Amino acid sequence: MKLTVLGSCSGTEPQPNRHQTSVAVETGGKLFYVDAGENCCYSSYLGGIDQTRTAAVFITHTHMDHVGGLPHLLWNLRKICTLSPENQEAMQGRTIEVHMPDLSVYAGVRAMLLASEGHYDTVFRLEPHMLRDGAAFHRDGITFTAFHNLHLGVPAPGTSWKSYSFLLEAEGKKVLFSGDFRDLSELLSHMKGADLVFLETGHHRAASLCWELKNSGIRTGKLVFYHHGVEILQDFSGELQAARAILGDQVEFADDGSVYQL
């Protein structure tokens, strides 16, 4: 299993050499995206990731820093089918699932795709799914389980207070991807025994989360912080040093392009 951080930044103003949140997961001959920040298509395509193997996209919540790159990603999946007969054959008759907690946003993305050329004719099929707690994807030995948590702060009228996190089980490994969360306690039971945990720091200090994890008694493998907020980015090495003072080399701070192999 190979996991590539395509975007490591939260929804701050643009930051040098960082793009908004997205992770590409390659496992079992398939490609999955967890979140689709604004540069996920560009980074994965030019990074040599085979987009023809895309099986599903999972959006934790529909804030712009998690979904802004989805239209471009879906548009490019259509575009690459025109580049070679091999690409077209690879994607012929396939279904690509899009899982998100608000399908009105998917409808808006679909409208953008249709507006580009008046159609979105493809050799594959897009299949939207409304996220709910439970197994979102379960086949070929790969399972993505969704569970909701509360987003930090007060939601705007008409928007959801939920964000979703995902537990991936494949190749005998467990990986947890957090959405934006209010309290670590919402995630702890799902983190137990995970080989790799991605935790957002857009709303939290990494050292504080490390103390909470240490005091909880929950044991995990590698702890990777991503979705960095300005507090992390203003003192990246200092914040990393503070977190490692608590949990040692178990802790990493992701950069765009960071790769993790399990």
Side-chain angles (χ1 to χ4, degrees):
M1 184 189 306
K2 179 181 178 181
L3 304 101
T4 305
V5 177
L6 305 173
S8 59
C9 195
S10 67
T12 68
E13 71 279 8
Q15 299 288 328
N17 304 312
R18 293 190 186 275
H19 299 278
Q20 293 174 350
T21 305
S22 183
V23 179
V25 180
E26 298 171 83
T27 184
K30 294 178 171 59
L31 171 63
F32 302 89
Y33 290 84
V34 177
D35 279 329
E38 90 278 34
N39 209 52
C40 63
C41 173
Y42 180 94
S43 296
S44 58
Y45 186 81
L46 293 185
I49 294 174
D50 183 1
Q51 293 184 350
T52 68
R53 295 186 291 126
T54 302
V57 182
F58 300 92
I59 304 297
T60 60
H61 61 296
T62 53
H63 288 178
M64 188 61 71
D65 52 325
H66 298 262
V67 77
L70 183 60
H72 184 214
L73 174 61
L74 298 181
W75 183 256
N76 197 61
L77 291 175
R78 174 183 179 271
K79 179 67 70 174
I80 61 176
C81 290
T82 69
L83 298 180
S84 71
E86 291 80 9
N87 287 349
Q88 189 171 67
E89 182 179 358
M91 301 189 75
Q92 183 74 43
R94 294 260 304 282
T95 296
I96 296 174
E97 300 178 8
V98 181
H99 298 259
M100 61 170 58
D102 185 349
L103 291 186
S104 69
V105 175
Y106 176 83
V109 170
R110 182 79 184 183
M112 292 178 68
L113 298 175
L114 293 173
S116 291
E117 291 184 3
H119 66 86
Y120 184 71
D121 297 333
T122 65
V123 299
F124 58 88
R125 175 173 172 261
L126 292 180
E127 186 176 87
H129 291 264
M130 180 75 173
L131 268 181
R132 294 182 174 85
D133 290 341
F137 184 99
H138 180 58
R139 70 179 70 98
D140 302 323
I142 303 167
T143 301
F144 279 85
T145 301
F147 58 95
H148 78 269
N149 49 262
L150 301 182
H151 195 292
L152 189 68
V154 179
T159 64
S160 175
W161 52 269
K162 287 183 180 180
S163 176
Y164 279 83
S165 298
F166 299 103
L167 183 65
L168 164 64
E169 297 174 272
E171 300 183 44
K173 303 294 184 181
K174 294 173 64 174
V175 182
L176 184 138
F177 305 88
S178 85
D180 292 4
F181 62 92
R182 182 174 298 178
D183 296 304
L184 188 63
S185 60
E186 300 174 290
L187 309 180
L188 283 174
S189 64
H190 302 277
M191 293 169 62
K192 185 176 181 180
D195 298 280
L196 179 62
V197 174
F198 288 90
L199 286 182
E200 67 105 353
T201 60
H203 305 94
H204 305 276
R205 302 299 283 269
S208 296
L209 295 177
C210 288
W211 274 121
E212 288 187 61
L213 180 58
K214 184 174 183 177
N215 291 334
S216 75
I218 298 292
R219 297 290 178 261
T220 71
K222 181 70 70 177
L223 186 63
V224 176
F225 290 99
Y226 72 155
H227 187 258
H228 302 309
V230 292
E231 291 84 0
I232 298 291
L233 297 176
Q234 287 172 349
D235 186 15
F236 196 80
S237 60
E239 293 286 331
L240 176 58
Q241 183 178 3
R244 284 184 169 172
I246 302 162
L247 291 179
D249 291 340
Q250 179 184 358
V251 176
E252 290 192 17
F253 281 11
D255 293 309
D256 285 25
S258 293
V259 174
Y260 303 93
Q261 300 269 179
L262 292 177

